[in-house]
């Protein structure tokens, strides 16, 4: 502990926020950067993610996303950014009960609908960004099917194929779906303000509310965030969806489009982890086509 306080990352925390660290504790958690809980000499407690060798600008993108999502009055709560640099992100500490109540799920669903409704200038982001360990191509698009095909599905399909994580049958199914996206995408919607990586592990539950962390934010289709919540099992998802619908009803047929919106995160997992995710992506494409 003493060595940590005398050297990096404690010295970097001090450089970024101008306050000394009184204790620094590594904590569990997967993902990009090593996580810590830090007590500061001014009485605050903060969450720190650090990586001295960070090269993708991940922390800057994450900080931007948290601030952009946090601009929405009455929207879903996000962790507050204290400071960010190339090698470190510092957030206010979010106490977690680890228990999701039905009331908190309903509040989260309603607030997420408000965040989505705040909108975005276009589909995508003007700059290249990142998701987990993967780069995301920049650019803003006028319509969602073009964006989803060119900036999400095709790049990750090609990466999964190059890595040997998709067989020919699955690849062909996904390419058939991409070719039919304009007719299959459902009613046109304006760009929503998305979290962008909204699986259940990126929703922290306190006693009364949910707080979103680790965004890969961009302008997209709101059904994508909701499909991601379903893919990895948000607690009381039915309650959250009912509250969402009451605030900002989804277009007819949204239930049938869940597999379409889950295709992108499945391809991302196929690229990073391989295993059964390539087959799951192919299955999702066929399920939606049929």
């Amino acid at each position: 502990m003493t060595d940590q306080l005398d050297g990096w990352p404690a010295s970097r925390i001090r450089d970024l926020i101008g306050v000394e660290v009184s204790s620094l504790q590594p904590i569990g958690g997967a993902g990009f950067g090593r996580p810590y809980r830090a007590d500061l000499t001014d009485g605050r407690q903060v969450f720190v993610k650090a990586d001295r060798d960070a090269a993708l600008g991940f922390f800057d993108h994450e900080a931007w996303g948290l601030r952009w999502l946090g601009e929405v009055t009455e929207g879903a709560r996000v962790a507050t950014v204290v400071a960010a640099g190339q090698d470190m992100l510092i957030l206010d500490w979010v106490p977690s009960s680890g228990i999701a109540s039905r009331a908190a799920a309903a509040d989260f669903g309603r607030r997420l609908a408000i965040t989505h409704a705040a909108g975005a200038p276009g589909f995508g982001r003007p700059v290249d960004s990142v998701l987990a360990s993967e780069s995301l191509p920049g650019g803003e698009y006028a319509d969602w099917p073009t964006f989803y095909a060119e900036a999400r599905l095709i790049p990750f399909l090609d990466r999964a194929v190059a890595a040997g994580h998709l067989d020919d049958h699955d690849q062909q199914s996904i390419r058939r779906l991409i070719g039919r996206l304009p007719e299959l995408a459902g009613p046109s919607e304006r760009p929503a303000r998305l979290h962008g990586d909204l699986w259940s592990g990126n929703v922290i539950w306190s006693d009364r509310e949910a707080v979103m962390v680790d965004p890969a934010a961009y302008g997209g289709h709101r059904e994508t965030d909701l499909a991601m919540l379903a893919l990895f099992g948000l607690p009381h998802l039915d309650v959250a969806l009912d509250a969402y619908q009451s605030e900002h009803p989804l277009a007819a047929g949204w239930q049938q489009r869940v597999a379409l919106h889950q295709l992108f995160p499945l391809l991302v997992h196929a690229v990073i982890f391989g295993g059964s995710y390539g087959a799951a992506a192919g299955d999702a494409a066929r399920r939606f086509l049929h």
Side-chain angles (χ1 to χ4, degrees):
M1 184 69 69
T2 302
D3 290 342
Q4 287 181 320
L5 294 181
D6 289 342
W8 200 91
S11 61
R12 181 61 171 148
I13 297 171
R14 182 180 63 246
D15 291 343
L16 284 173
I17 62 177
V19 179
E20 295 288 342
V21 178
S22 58
S23 69
L24 187 65
Q25 179 66 45
I27 56 177
F32 188 86
R34 186 174 184 185
Y36 299 87
R37 184 179 67 242
D39 293 308
L40 306 179
T41 55
D42 63 4
R44 285 182 293 166
Q45 191 172 73
V46 294
F47 172 79
V48 178
K49 283 201 294 189
D51 187 337
R52 299 184 80 166
D53 299 320
L56 288 173
F58 182 90
F59 296 135
D60 290 330
H61 288 295
E62 185 175 339
W64 176 88
L66 289 168
R67 289 170 176 142
W68 187 56
L69 295 167
E71 291 173 357
V72 183
T73 304
E74 297 299 320
R77 273 206 60 199
V78 295
T80 301
V81 178
V82 177
Q86 176 70 24
D87 55 356
M88 184 173 288
L89 177 67
I90 305 174
L91 308 175
D92 275 344
W93 183 260
V94 178
S96 172
S97 67
I99 300 172
S101 69
R102 293 176 66 86
D107 179 70
F108 174 60
R110 182 184 66 82
R111 287 177 175 271
L112 182 62
I114 293 171
T115 297
H116 285 169
F123 292 100
R125 279 188 65 188
V127 299
D128 291 349
S129 57
V130 293
L131 172 62
S133 59
E134 295 299 310
S135 61
L136 294 172
E140 286 185 327
Y141 296 75
D143 68 275
W144 183 75
T146 303
F147 159 76
Y148 197 48
E150 295 184 3
R152 292 297 184 262
L153 296 184
I154 293 173
F156 283 85
L157 173 61
D158 290 344
R159 292 179 206 181
V161 170
H165 296 162
L166 271 177
D167 65 24
D168 288 343
H169 180 50
D170 293 329
Q171 177 188 173
Q172 290 166 7
S173 297
I174 296 167
R175 293 196 188 280
R176 281 200 303 273
L177 184 150
I178 292 171
R180 295 181 58 193
L181 262 178
E183 67 180 274
L184 298 173
S188 176
E189 293 202 358
R190 71 187 186 94
R193 189 170 300 213
L194 297 193
H195 176 283
D197 190 16
L198 196 56
W199 71 291
S200 56
N202 284 341
V203 181
I204 298 174
W205 298 95
S206 67
D207 292 334
R208 293 179 295 176
E209 63 183 352
V211 180
M212 300 191 299
V213 296
D214 292 350
Y218 65 94
H221 197 302
R222 58 199 178 115
E223 292 176 16
T224 303
D225 263 358
L226 299 179
M228 187 74 167
L229 289 173
L231 184 61
F232 295 105
L234 183 80
H236 305 304
L237 179 61
D238 58 336
V239 176
L241 288 174
D242 285 347
Y244 186 105
Q245 289 271 54
S246 296
E247 180 68 35
H248 189 14
L250 295 160
W254 69 269
Q255 297 97 329
Q256 287 71 48
R257 292 188 293 273
V258 170
L260 172 64
H261 290 272
Q262 288 178 343
L263 184 55
F264 170 59
L266 287 172
L267 282 174
V268 173
H269 279 68
V271 170
I272 297 174
F273 303 112
S276 62
Y277 285 110
D283 287 343
R286 287 186 290 275
R287 187 165 67 248
F288 184 69
L289 285 169
H290 298 143

